[in-house]
Amino acid sequence: MTQTHAPHRVDHVGSFLRPQELIQAREEFNAGKIDQAALTEVEDQAIRDLVKKEIQAGLKSVTDGEFRRAYWHLDFFWGFGGIDHVQAEVGYQFHDETTKADSALIVAPITGENHPFVKHFTFLRDLVADVDGVEAKYTIPAPSQFYFELIRDAEHVAQLNRIYPDFADVRQAIQKAYLQVIQDLYEAGLRTLQIDDCTWGVLVDDNFLTAWGAPQSKSKDQVRQELADLFLTLNNDVYENIPQGLTLTTHVCRGNFHSTWASSGGYAPIAEELLNKEKVDAYFLEFDTDRAGGFEPLEKVTPGKGVVLGLLTSKSGQLEDKAEVIARIKEASQYVPLENLYLSTQCGFASTEEGNILTEEDQWKKIALIQEIVDEVWG
């Protein structure tokens, strides 16, 4: 089998719209009408069908669409030992919607053994094992995103302090749990891991810093710098210690729920930490609207790293103008060499099980348009 390595010129973030039969099965499972075995059977078939469509669309990195998850991040957190699935006081706040109030609460020391995502990956792995030039990519949320969830509100902070009174201990626990899961995935055959991270995407937004409760004694820039250093530390604790031979990419966006968004701001305030100091091989970066700012911060990208430009939106079925996208790729190439640039939508089509407001046909048209643009730009 020919080996393939991410990122790919035509790429995608990983999540796809759930088919109706899967949506119905999850509703029946949640209502107690079917058991886990019956739900898994429906999930398995939906993933088989999706993988066939991904390959037919020409994708070289294939995912399971996150079809076994309700959320892009919480299901992973719930897979750790010491973490419970609970309800927060309120869901995540987006621009004009609020999510369900699901959350992850620490109740005991964190452990990473026997994480269910490892078994989920092996199912995907086996579906593409004999397909030449195609790899199985898996996606998980960032360590900083996990810590962010553990301090989501006063109850979460109190629980975290009860289990880990010393920050050094929780830092070490997060590192150890993540590296355990990543090592298990690697031993199961994973060679491309994408780590999704919205912490950077909210950190650029001054409104977030106000909501965070920045003390009056510190400026927003000071608080932002402190948080950027914290997020970088938590992430690199893991990224600097992954197995050799594992390609690591990270995806950054500003929120993606039911076609709405959570934050705004360009990359400049955190470019040094994210684009230069974070120890990853490539970035999937949101650039589909002016909320993400211009390309100038890409000057900070460490030479040799890849940048997957999220120039098409997954929030709408409306197709972008091909000439405009090509012009933006050429603009970005002033800061990162064209050979290190790649193309995708800015985020997945369904970061949560609700999905964005477009059709399945729309999502595949987006992938096809990416292919057309890549053929014109790179040949």
PDB file of all heavy atoms in Angstrom, residues 14-41:
ATOM      1  N   GLY A  14     -12.996  17.193   9.120  1.00  0.00           N
ATOM      2  CA  GLY A  14     -13.256  15.867   9.674  1.00  0.00           C
ATOM      3  C   GLY A  14     -14.686  15.485   9.930  1.00  0.00           C
ATOM      4  O   GLY A  14     -15.057  14.320   9.809  1.00  0.00           O
ATOM      5  N   SER A  15     -15.542  16.429  10.343  1.00  0.00           N
ATOM      6  CA  SER A  15     -16.925  16.064  10.676  1.00  0.00           C
ATOM      7  C   SER A  15     -17.834  16.247   9.460  1.00  0.00           C
ATOM      8  O   SER A  15     -17.643  17.163   8.658  1.00  0.00           O
ATOM      9  CB  SER A  15     -17.452  16.890  11.848  1.00  0.00           C
ATOM     10  OG  SER A  15     -17.566  18.257  11.505  1.00  0.00           O
ATOM     11  N   PHE A  16     -18.825  15.362   9.357  1.00  0.00           N
ATOM     12  CA  PHE A  16     -19.797  15.413   8.263  1.00  0.00           C
ATOM     13  C   PHE A  16     -21.212  15.357   8.831  1.00  0.00           C
ATOM     14  O   PHE A  16     -21.433  14.893   9.957  1.00  0.00           O
ATOM     15  CB  PHE A  16     -19.574  14.253   7.287  1.00  0.00           C
ATOM     16  CG  PHE A  16     -18.355  14.403   6.423  1.00  0.00           C
ATOM     17  CD1 PHE A  16     -17.122  13.907   6.835  1.00  0.00           C
ATOM     18  CD2 PHE A  16     -18.425  15.050   5.197  1.00  0.00           C
ATOM     19  CE1 PHE A  16     -15.991  14.050   6.052  1.00  0.00           C
ATOM     20  CE2 PHE A  16     -17.299  15.203   4.396  1.00  0.00           C
ATOM     21  CZ  PHE A  16     -16.087  14.694   4.824  1.00  0.00           C
ATOM     22  N   LEU A  17     -22.161  15.836   8.034  1.00  0.00           N
ATOM     23  CA  LEU A  17     -23.561  15.799   8.443  1.00  0.00           C
ATOM     24  C   LEU A  17     -23.997  14.370   8.724  1.00  0.00           C
ATOM     25  O   LEU A  17     -23.702  13.450   7.947  1.00  0.00           O
ATOM     26  CB  LEU A  17     -24.443  16.396   7.349  1.00  0.00           C
ATOM     27  CG  LEU A  17     -24.239  17.886   7.037  1.00  0.00           C
ATOM     28  CD1 LEU A  17     -25.051  18.272   5.800  1.00  0.00           C
ATOM     29  CD2 LEU A  17     -24.632  18.744   8.227  1.00  0.00           C
ATOM     30  N   ARG A  18     -24.702  14.172   9.835  1.00  0.00           N
ATOM     31  CA  ARG A  18     -25.196  12.837  10.172  1.00  0.00           C
ATOM     32  C   ARG A  18     -26.372  12.460   9.275  1.00  0.00           C
ATOM     33  O   ARG A  18     -27.281  13.281   9.072  1.00  0.00           O
ATOM     34  CB  ARG A  18     -25.678  12.789  11.623  1.00  0.00           C
ATOM     35  CG  ARG A  18     -24.637  12.579  12.698  1.00  0.00           C
ATOM     36  CD  ARG A  18     -23.461  13.486  12.658  1.00  0.00           C
ATOM     37  NE  ARG A  18     -22.738  13.504  13.945  1.00  0.00           N
ATOM     38  CZ  ARG A  18     -21.699  14.254  14.194  1.00  0.00           C
ATOM     39  NH1 ARG A  18     -21.226  15.052  13.249  1.00  0.00           N
ATOM     40  NH2 ARG A  18     -21.108  14.224  15.377  1.00  0.00           N
ATOM     41  N   PRO A  19     -26.386  11.229   8.732  1.00  0.00           N
ATOM     42  CA  PRO A  19     -27.536  10.791   7.942  1.00  0.00           C
ATOM     43  C   PRO A  19     -28.765  10.606   8.833  1.00  0.00           C
ATOM     44  O   PRO A  19     -28.637  10.389  10.045  1.00  0.00           O
ATOM     45  CB  PRO A  19     -27.070   9.468   7.351  1.00  0.00           C
ATOM     46  CG  PRO A  19     -26.002   8.983   8.281  1.00  0.00           C
ATOM     47  CD  PRO A  19     -25.330  10.223   8.808  1.00  0.00           C
ATOM     48  N   GLN A  20     -29.937  10.674   8.242  1.00  0.00           N
ATOM     49  CA  GLN A  20     -31.170  10.640   9.010  1.00  0.00           C
ATOM     50  C   GLN A  20     -31.311   9.368   9.833  1.00  0.00           C
ATOM     51  O   GLN A  20     -31.781   9.400  10.971  1.00  0.00           O
ATOM     52  CB  GLN A  20     -32.387  10.790   8.081  1.00  0.00           C
ATOM     53  CG  GLN A  20     -33.710  10.928   8.804  1.00  0.00           C
ATOM     54  CD  GLN A  20     -33.730  12.063   9.807  1.00  0.00           C
ATOM     55  OE1 GLN A  20     -33.267  13.173   9.504  1.00  0.00           O
ATOM     56  NE2 GLN A  20     -34.233  11.825  11.007  1.00  0.00           N
ATOM     57  N   GLU A  21     -30.884   8.232   9.287  1.00  0.00           N
ATOM     58  CA  GLU A  21     -31.021   6.979  10.029  1.00  0.00           C
ATOM     59  C   GLU A  21     -30.169   6.982  11.297  1.00  0.00           C
ATOM     60  O   GLU A  21     -30.549   6.396  12.314  1.00  0.00           O
ATOM     61  CB  GLU A  21     -30.670   5.775   9.148  1.00  0.00           C
ATOM     62  CG  GLU A  21     -29.287   5.791   8.544  1.00  0.00           C
ATOM     63  CD  GLU A  21     -29.219   6.460   7.183  1.00  0.00           C
ATOM     64  OE1 GLU A  21     -30.100   7.294   6.874  1.00  0.00           O
ATOM     65  OE2 GLU A  21     -28.278   6.146   6.426  1.00  0.00           O
ATOM     66  N   LEU A  22     -29.033   7.657  11.261  1.00  0.00           N
ATOM     67  CA  LEU A  22     -28.189   7.760  12.450  1.00  0.00           C
ATOM     68  C   LEU A  22     -28.811   8.718  13.464  1.00  0.00           C
ATOM     69  O   LEU A  22     -28.811   8.435  14.672  1.00  0.00           O
ATOM     70  CB  LEU A  22     -26.788   8.228  12.066  1.00  0.00           C
ATOM     71  CG  LEU A  22     -25.801   8.433  13.214  1.00  0.00           C
ATOM     72  CD1 LEU A  22     -25.663   7.185  14.067  1.00  0.00           C
ATOM     73  CD2 LEU A  22     -24.438   8.869  12.680  1.00  0.00           C
ATOM     74  N   ILE A  23     -29.328   9.830  12.993  1.00  0.00           N
ATOM     75  CA  ILE A  23     -30.007  10.776  13.890  1.00  0.00           C
ATOM     76  C   ILE A  23     -31.155  10.080  14.615  1.00  0.00           C
ATOM     77  O   ILE A  23     -31.311  10.211  15.829  1.00  0.00           O
ATOM     78  CB  ILE A  23     -30.530  11.982  13.086  1.00  0.00           C
ATOM     79  CG1 ILE A  23     -29.353  12.805  12.539  1.00  0.00           C
ATOM     80  CG2 ILE A  23     -31.431  12.856  13.959  1.00  0.00           C
ATOM     81  CD1 ILE A  23     -29.761  13.906  11.587  1.00  0.00           C
ATOM     82  N   GLN A  24     -31.931   9.316  13.867  1.00  0.00           N
ATOM     83  CA  GLN A  24     -33.069   8.613  14.464  1.00  0.00           C
ATOM     84  C   GLN A  24     -32.609   7.566  15.474  1.00  0.00           C
ATOM     85  O   GLN A  24     -33.198   7.441  16.562  1.00  0.00           O
ATOM     86  CB  GLN A  24     -33.905   7.945  13.372  1.00  0.00           C
ATOM     87  CG  GLN A  24     -35.125   7.194  13.892  1.00  0.00           C
ATOM     88  CD  GLN A  24     -35.952   6.582  12.767  1.00  0.00           C
ATOM     89  OE1 GLN A  24     -35.829   6.963  11.607  1.00  0.00           O
ATOM     90  NE2 GLN A  24     -36.804   5.621  13.117  1.00  0.00           N
ATOM     91  N   ALA A  25     -31.559   6.837  15.144  1.00  0.00           N
ATOM     92  CA  ALA A  25     -31.064   5.804  16.052  1.00  0.00           C
ATOM     93  C   ALA A  25     -30.557   6.417  17.356  1.00  0.00           C
ATOM     94  O   ALA A  25     -30.802   5.869  18.445  1.00  0.00           O
ATOM     95  CB  ALA A  25     -29.952   5.004  15.370  1.00  0.00           C
ATOM     96  N   ARG A  26     -29.888   7.548  17.270  1.00  0.00           N
ATOM     97  CA  ARG A  26     -29.389   8.196  18.492  1.00  0.00           C
ATOM     98  C   ARG A  26     -30.555   8.692  19.346  1.00  0.00           C
ATOM     99  O   ARG A  26     -30.515   8.603  20.580  1.00  0.00           O
ATOM    100  CB  ARG A  26     -28.442   9.339  18.142  1.00  0.00           C
ATOM    101  CG  ARG A  26     -27.103   8.858  17.587  1.00  0.00           C
ATOM    102  CD  ARG A  26     -26.134  10.015  17.418  1.00  0.00           C
ATOM    103  NE  ARG A  26     -25.718  10.540  18.711  1.00  0.00           N
ATOM    104  CZ  ARG A  26     -24.631  10.124  19.369  1.00  0.00           C
ATOM    105  NH1 ARG A  26     -23.872   9.159  18.880  1.00  0.00           N
ATOM    106  NH2 ARG A  26     -24.316  10.668  20.526  1.00  0.00           N
ATOM    107  N   GLU A  27     -31.593   9.205  18.706  1.00  0.00           N
ATOM    108  CA  GLU A  27     -32.777   9.635  19.448  1.00  0.00           C
ATOM    109  C   GLU A  27     -33.437   8.455  20.151  1.00  0.00           C
ATOM    110  O   GLU A  27     -33.853   8.544  21.316  1.00  0.00           O
ATOM    111  CB  GLU A  27     -33.766  10.316  18.502  1.00  0.00           C
ATOM    112  CG  GLU A  27     -33.293  11.679  18.002  1.00  0.00           C
ATOM    113  CD  GLU A  27     -34.225  12.275  16.969  1.00  0.00           C
ATOM    114  OE1 GLU A  27     -35.145  11.553  16.510  1.00  0.00           O
ATOM    115  OE2 GLU A  27     -34.049  13.460  16.606  1.00  0.00           O
ATOM    116  N   GLU A  28     -33.524   7.329  19.459  1.00  0.00           N
ATOM    117  CA  GLU A  28     -34.123   6.133  20.046  1.00  0.00           C
ATOM    118  C   GLU A  28     -33.269   5.593  21.189  1.00  0.00           C
ATOM    119  O   GLU A  28     -33.794   5.133  22.212  1.00  0.00           O
ATOM    120  CB  GLU A  28     -34.321   5.070  18.965  1.00  0.00           C
ATOM    121  CG  GLU A  28     -35.389   5.446  17.932  1.00  0.00           C
ATOM    122  CD  GLU A  28     -35.509   4.429  16.822  1.00  0.00           C
ATOM    123  OE1 GLU A  28     -34.663   3.498  16.755  1.00  0.00           O
ATOM    124  OE2 GLU A  28     -36.455   4.551  16.007  1.00  0.00           O
ATOM    125  N   PHE A  29     -31.956   5.660  21.020  1.00  0.00           N
ATOM    126  CA  PHE A  29     -31.060   5.207  22.090  1.00  0.00           C
ATOM    127  C   PHE A  29     -31.214   6.089  23.320  1.00  0.00           C
ATOM    128  O   PHE A  29     -31.319   5.595  24.452  1.00  0.00           O
ATOM    129  CB  PHE A  29     -29.612   5.234  21.596  1.00  0.00           C
ATOM    130  CG  PHE A  29     -28.607   4.900  22.667  1.00  0.00           C
ATOM    131  CD1 PHE A  29     -28.412   3.594  23.079  1.00  0.00           C
ATOM    132  CD2 PHE A  29     -27.853   5.914  23.267  1.00  0.00           C
ATOM    133  CE1 PHE A  29     -27.488   3.288  24.075  1.00  0.00           C
ATOM    134  CE2 PHE A  29     -26.926   5.623  24.256  1.00  0.00           C
ATOM    135  CZ  PHE A  29     -26.745   4.303  24.658  1.00  0.00           C
ATOM    136  N   ASN A  30     -31.242   7.400  23.122  1.00  0.00           N
ATOM    137  CA  ASN A  30     -31.379   8.334  24.242  1.00  0.00           C
ATOM    138  C   ASN A  30     -32.725   8.183  24.942  1.00  0.00           C
ATOM    139  O   ASN A  30     -32.844   8.457  26.147  1.00  0.00           O
ATOM    140  CB  ASN A  30     -31.197   9.769  23.758  1.00  0.00           C
ATOM    141  CG  ASN A  30     -29.772  10.067  23.324  1.00  0.00           C
ATOM    142  OD1 ASN A  30     -28.826   9.440  23.798  1.00  0.00           O
ATOM    143  ND2 ASN A  30     -29.608  11.005  22.405  1.00  0.00           N
ATOM    144  N   ALA A  31     -33.723   7.715  24.201  1.00  0.00           N
ATOM    145  CA  ALA A  31     -35.052   7.508  24.782  1.00  0.00           C
ATOM    146  C   ALA A  31     -35.209   6.117  25.380  1.00  0.00           C
ATOM    147  O   ALA A  31     -36.270   5.782  25.920  1.00  0.00           O
ATOM    148  CB  ALA A  31     -36.126   7.734  23.721  1.00  0.00           C
ATOM    149  N   GLY A  32     -34.147   5.288  25.291  1.00  0.00           N
ATOM    150  CA  GLY A  32     -34.195   3.942  25.850  1.00  0.00           C
ATOM    151  C   GLY A  32     -34.919   2.932  24.994  1.00  0.00           C
ATOM    152  O   GLY A  32     -35.250   1.837  25.457  1.00  0.00           O
ATOM    153  N   LYS A  33     -35.144   3.252  23.716  1.00  0.00           N
ATOM    154  CA  LYS A  33     -35.888   2.353  22.831  1.00  0.00           C
ATOM    155  C   LYS A  33     -34.999   1.304  22.177  1.00  0.00           C
ATOM    156  O   LYS A  33     -35.486   0.262  21.747  1.00  0.00           O
ATOM    157  CB  LYS A  33     -36.613   3.175  21.761  1.00  0.00           C
ATOM    158  CG  LYS A  33     -37.696   4.104  22.308  1.00  0.00           C
ATOM    159  CD  LYS A  33     -38.374   4.880  21.194  1.00  0.00           C
ATOM    160  CE  LYS A  33     -39.458   5.793  21.744  1.00  0.00           C
ATOM    161  NZ  LYS A  33     -40.120   6.576  20.662  1.00  0.00           N
ATOM    162  N   ILE A  34     -33.693   1.597  22.065  1.00  0.00           N
ATOM    163  CA  ILE A  34     -32.745   0.609  21.543  1.00  0.00           C
ATOM    164  C   ILE A  34     -31.531   0.584  22.457  1.00  0.00           C
ATOM    165  O   ILE A  34     -31.284   1.539  23.201  1.00  0.00           O
ATOM    166  CB  ILE A  34     -32.315   0.912  20.087  1.00  0.00           C
ATOM    167  CG1 ILE A  34     -31.572   2.264  20.010  1.00  0.00           C
ATOM    168  CG2 ILE A  34     -33.506   0.894  19.150  1.00  0.00           C
ATOM    169  CD1 ILE A  34     -30.960   2.543  18.636  1.00  0.00           C
ATOM    170  N   ASP A  35     -30.762  -0.516  22.407  1.00  0.00           N
ATOM    171  CA  ASP A  35     -29.580  -0.624  23.263  1.00  0.00           C
ATOM    172  C   ASP A  35     -28.325  -0.184  22.528  1.00  0.00           C
ATOM    173  O   ASP A  35     -28.369   0.178  21.344  1.00  0.00           O
ATOM    174  CB  ASP A  35     -29.438  -2.046  23.806  1.00  0.00           C
ATOM    175  CG  ASP A  35     -29.264  -3.094  22.703  1.00  0.00           C
ATOM    176  OD1 ASP A  35     -29.012  -2.713  21.529  1.00  0.00           O
ATOM    177  OD2 ASP A  35     -29.364  -4.291  23.011  1.00  0.00           O
ATOM    178  N   GLN A  36     -27.180  -0.215  23.225  1.00  0.00           N
ATOM    179  CA  GLN A  36     -25.924   0.242  22.650  1.00  0.00           C
ATOM    180  C   GLN A  36     -25.542  -0.581  21.430  1.00  0.00           C
ATOM    181  O   GLN A  36     -25.029  -0.036  20.437  1.00  0.00           O
ATOM    182  CB  GLN A  36     -24.811   0.174  23.697  1.00  0.00           C
ATOM    183  CG  GLN A  36     -23.460   0.664  23.190  1.00  0.00           C
ATOM    184  CD  GLN A  36     -23.475   2.126  22.782  1.00  0.00           C
ATOM    185  OE1 GLN A  36     -23.788   2.996  23.583  1.00  0.00           O
ATOM    186  NE2 GLN A  36     -23.134   2.413  21.529  1.00  0.00           N
ATOM    187  N   ALA A  37     -25.784  -1.882  21.465  1.00  0.00           N
ATOM    188  CA  ALA A  37     -25.430  -2.745  20.337  1.00  0.00           C
ATOM    189  C   ALA A  37     -26.182  -2.338  19.073  1.00  0.00           C
ATOM    190  O   ALA A  37     -25.598  -2.296  17.971  1.00  0.00           O
ATOM    191  CB  ALA A  37     -25.711  -4.205  20.686  1.00  0.00           C
ATOM    192  N   ALA A  38     -27.443  -2.019  19.226  1.00  0.00           N
ATOM    193  CA  ALA A  38     -28.255  -1.617  18.072  1.00  0.00           C
ATOM    194  C   ALA A  38     -27.778  -0.268  17.526  1.00  0.00           C
ATOM    195  O   ALA A  38     -27.711  -0.072  16.301  1.00  0.00           O
ATOM    196  CB  ALA A  38     -29.724  -1.539  18.458  1.00  0.00           C
ATOM    197  N   LEU A  39     -27.442   0.655  18.436  1.00  0.00           N
ATOM    198  CA  LEU A  39     -26.936   1.949  17.991  1.00  0.00           C
ATOM    199  C   LEU A  39     -25.600   1.777  17.273  1.00  0.00           C
ATOM    200  O   LEU A  39     -25.378   2.383  16.207  1.00  0.00           O
ATOM    201  CB  LEU A  39     -26.766   2.889  19.187  1.00  0.00           C
ATOM    202  CG  LEU A  39     -26.103   4.241  18.886  1.00  0.00           C
ATOM    203  CD1 LEU A  39     -26.899   5.028  17.866  1.00  0.00           C
ATOM    204  CD2 LEU A  39     -25.910   5.048  20.170  1.00  0.00           C
ATOM    205  N   THR A  40     -24.718   0.960  17.818  1.00  0.00           N
ATOM    206  CA  THR A  40     -23.413   0.740  17.201  1.00  0.00           C
ATOM    207  C   THR A  40     -23.556   0.159  15.800  1.00  0.00           C
ATOM    208  O   THR A  40     -22.810   0.533  14.883  1.00  0.00           O
ATOM    209  CB  THR A  40     -22.560  -0.189  18.078  1.00  0.00           C
ATOM    210  OG1 THR A  40     -22.351   0.423  19.356  1.00  0.00           O
ATOM    211  CG2 THR A  40     -21.216  -0.470  17.427  1.00  0.00           C
ATOM    212  N   GLU A  41     -24.515  -0.719  15.604  1.00  0.00           N
ATOM    213  CA  GLU A  41     -24.743  -1.304  14.278  1.00  0.00           C
ATOM    214  C   GLU A  41     -25.110  -0.223  13.267  1.00  0.00           C
ATOM    215  O   GLU A  41     -24.619  -0.228  12.129  1.00  0.00           O
ATOM    216  CB  GLU A  41     -25.852  -2.354  14.369  1.00  0.00           C
ATOM    217  CG  GLU A  41     -26.080  -3.115  13.071  1.00  0.00           C
ATOM    218  CD  GLU A  41     -27.114  -4.218  13.212  1.00  0.00           C
ATOM    219  OE1 GLU A  41     -27.472  -4.554  14.356  1.00  0.00           O
ATOM    220  OE2 GLU A  41     -27.574  -4.736  12.167  1.00  0.00           O
TER     221      GLU A  41
END
